[in-house]
Amino acid sequence: MPNQKTRQLTNGAMMTALFAVLLAVSVYVPVLSLISTLFLALPIAWYSAKYPVKASALVAVVGAVLSFLIGGLLSLPLALIHIPLGLVVGLSIQYKKASCSCSWVRASCCWCH
């Protein structure tokens, strides 16, 4: 059974790589940019839901640096929008807090108070 720190490190590297690939597709492939932009925050959200805040912040910083290296200044605003979004969603899942009592399926079609 692998060590927890090793698993945390490898999952962080995989999620950062997946974020970088989705970001590159969003920036450089016009046909798939809308679809890949929709899924851009998911790797960060998954990682921050599973691991502590400190590790999630490190993955977010590495994702922002990689986005600048891959796409330059063009991709940086896209990354700076989706990285905090992924962190907020993941941490709210980790702490089991939601802004409404609707389920995930109903949340898209109901007004939450």
Side-chain angles (χ1 to χ4, degrees), residues 19-91:
F19 177 78
V21 167
L22 285 172
L23 186 78
V25 169
S26 295
V27 171
Y28 293 119
V29 182
V31 177
L32 298 176
S33 74
L34 181 64
I35 296 168
S36 63
T37 303
L38 290 174
F39 296 110
L40 194 56
L42 286 180
I44 305 295
W46 179 83
Y47 189 82
S48 62
K50 190 166 181 156
Y51 294 109
V53 178
K54 210 173 183 182
S56 301
L58 180 64
V59 167
V61 168
V62 171
V65 169
L66 272 179
S67 70
F68 179 71
L69 292 175
I70 288 174
L73 289 176
L74 183 65
S75 68
L76 199 57
L78 188 63
L80 291 178
I81 290 171
H82 286 88
I83 287 174
L85 177 69
L87 283 173
V88 167
V89 168
L91 291 175

Side-chain angles (χ1 to χ4, degrees), residues 97-104 106-107 110-113:
K97 294 187 179 187
S99 63
C100 65
S101 61
C102 300
S103 67
W104 281 91
R106 288 181 37 213
C110 72
W111 181 259
C112 300
H113 306 296

Side-chain angles (χ1 to χ4, degrees), residues 6-17 46-47 51 59 62:
T6 307
R7 179 170 289 188
Q8 182 177 343
L9 180 66
T10 55
N11 283 340
M14 286 190 299
M15 291 303 113
T16 305
W46 179 83
Y47 189 82
Y51 294 109
V59 167
V62 171

